Amino acid sequence: MYEYQEFKVSVAPMMDWTDRHCRWFHRQLSKRVELYTEMVVADAVIHGPRDRLLGFDAIEHPAILQVGGSDPHKLSEASKIGEDYGYDGININIGCPSDRVQSGRFGACLMAEPDLVAECFTAMQAAVSVPVTVKCRLGIDDQACEETLPRFLEIVSNAGCDTFIIHARKAWLQGLSPKENRDVPPLDYDLVRAMKEQFPTLKIELNGGLTDIETSLSETMTLDGFMWGRAAYHSPWILSEVDSGVYGDSAPGFDRSDIVERLVSYLQSIETKDRSAKALLRHVMGLYSGQVGARLWRRTLSEGAASGLSPSEVLTQAHQAIQDASDRAAA
């Protein structure tokens, strides 16, 4: 059962990355961190293959479903479906800057329509008993964020939303690709902290550019949590520090080899009936980041994925390769 935590640490929703296999892996590293799905468009939730899009293992709790859309009725229906699947919360995407998302009139472009976002939130929260939250940007394009962001928060919070995960970078919808927008314009953590000062009753979590637990805690001392994105994906071992480093739990009683053994067992249990299980091999590429043999680990996984071996065999092979490399280094 989900245990509410005043201070939240989470892994961001990331398209093509945070699928059910990635989340299963991340849960092995932390019991406390909140795990988000990839963004699922409301129409897909309603009309698509629900089990494939929404199904997840109970071990993933707490798990949050992120949905995209701008039609209040569709979003409310998608939220209810998500709750029925067992998700611990529903999050609406008001941050993605991609052209595909803009063409569907959702994502970051909705930063310019706070009244519509408020209407969507109202419909979603009325449909479910789990919390509905908003993940947004500082603003978009030529907006003066110090003026438009407070207005956005005021309007949406007046509709009842009390939790905002703010990506501390403006989204440029024209002239920059989503990849370029990861680094341009610069992050502005101060503006996020200023929003907490201006709206002290709101729960505000920080997202964007955070790469380690010490910096993340330092930047969020006055906030209500932080969300890791690419850092958690490329260097997932940082998640193993959350339970003890943030919540004061005992130090984790496992090492990377223990995690690999769990993952092999997981793959063996699903790979004959779930073709998507192979995706786990790319999700674990960063497990040995910064360790002896990390490059060998990645290469063995990449070559094995194309070899015709089963995913569990590839992972076992990579594990043996890195153990051999470690033994050689210690000799």
Side-chain angles (χ1 to χ4, degrees):
M1 188 69 180
Y2 176 54
E3 178 184 349
Y4 180 80
Q5 296 164 162
E6 286 292 339
F7 189 88
K8 300 289 183 66
V9 180
S10 56
V11 177
M14 293 176 281
M15 293 299 294
D16 299 321
W17 286 2
T18 52
D19 62 20
R20 69 180 74 179
H21 306 302
C22 180
R23 298 193 304 269
W24 198 97
F25 164 45
H26 285 172
R27 179 58 67 218
Q28 306 310 304
L29 301 171
S30 169
K31 295 178 180 178
R32 299 269 202 162
V33 68
E34 283 192 345
L35 301 177
Y36 280 67
T37 69
E38 304 167 87
M39 182 190 69
V40 187
V41 179
D43 278 327
V45 174
I46 297 167
H47 303 294
R50 292 180 187 173
D51 286 346
R52 181 171 65 81
L53 293 172
L54 302 180
F56 68 104
D57 192 299
I59 200 174
E60 296 171 36
H61 290 294
I64 312 299
L65 171 65
Q66 188 187 64
V67 294
S70 58
D71 182 304
H73 176 73
K74 290 180 179 179
L75 285 168
S76 67
E77 186 176 353
S79 298
K80 179 57 178 171
I81 293 169
E83 181 182 44
D84 289 345
Y85 262 81
Y87 283 96
D88 301 292
I90 311 294
N91 179 265
I92 180 170
N93 183 316
I94 313 293
C96 183
S98 76
D99 293 339
R100 182 163 58 96
V101 167
Q102 291 180 58
S103 66
R105 197 190 172 202
F106 57 94
C109 63
L110 290 176
M111 292 296 298
E113 299 186 72
D115 291 308
L116 177 57
V117 175
E119 186 180 351
C120 290
F121 169 84
T122 299
M124 294 166 71
Q125 191 63 82
V128 298
S129 59
V130 296
V132 176
T133 60
V134 169
K135 186 173 188 293
C136 64
R137 292 282 188 134
L138 298 181
I140 55 173
D141 297 334
D142 294 321
Q143 284 185 333
C145 297
E146 65 279 3
E147 299 174 4
T148 57
L149 181 57
R151 179 173 177 271
F152 177 88
L153 295 178
E154 181 177 15
I155 291 173
V156 180
S157 64
N158 283 344
C161 184
D162 66 359
T163 301
F164 295 83
I165 302 97
I166 303 179
H167 185 147
R169 195 190 305 277
K170 180 186 283 190
W172 283 96
L173 305 182
Q174 305 294 331
L176 288 178
S177 70
K179 183 177 181 180
E180 292 169 326
N181 201 188
R182 294 174 189 165
D183 301 305
V184 179
L187 292 159
D188 190 349
Y189 296 159
D190 287 338
L191 182 55
V192 178
R193 288 188 285 260
M195 294 302 97
K196 180 63 178 180
E197 292 181 11
Q198 189 169 341
F199 301 95
T201 62
L202 296 182
K203 298 180 181 70
I204 294 180
E205 303 166 35
L206 178 66
N207 172 232
L210 299 170
T211 58
D212 61 79
I213 197 164
E214 292 80 8
T215 303
S216 301
L217 286 171
S218 174
E219 296 288 359
T220 56
M221 289 179 64
T222 61
L223 300 177
D224 301 286
F226 59 83
M227 174 180 277
W228 281 328
R230 293 187 303 279
Y233 190 83
H234 294 308
S235 301
W237 195 251
I238 62 174
L239 296 174
S240 71
E241 304 173 16
V242 169
D243 296 3
S244 57
V246 176
Y247 299 107
D249 295 348
S250 58
F254 54 78
D255 59 18
R256 288 174 174 82
S257 287
D258 296 325
I259 297 300
V260 175
E261 290 174 4
R262 294 182 201 173
L263 292 170
V264 169
S265 295
Y266 170 70
L267 285 172
Q268 290 172 338
S269 71
I270 66 168
E271 61 192 2
T272 59
K273 54 190 176 184
D274 185 351
R275 295 179 61 185
S276 71
K278 186 177 180 180
L280 182 67
L281 297 179
R282 57 186 173 86
H283 299 328
V284 301
M285 286 282 181
L287 179 58
Y288 282 88
S289 177
Q291 303 296 300
V292 172
R295 185 177 298 177
L296 174 63
W297 167 261
R298 295 191 299 270
R299 186 175 74 243
T300 307
L301 288 176
S302 296
E303 293 174 353
S307 69
L309 293 174
S310 68
S312 63
E313 290 172 327
V314 174
L315 199 57
T316 299
Q317 191 177 73
H319 190 210
Q320 186 60 56
I322 202 166
Q323 285 183 318
D324 292 345
S326 179
D327 291 343
R328 288 193 298 271

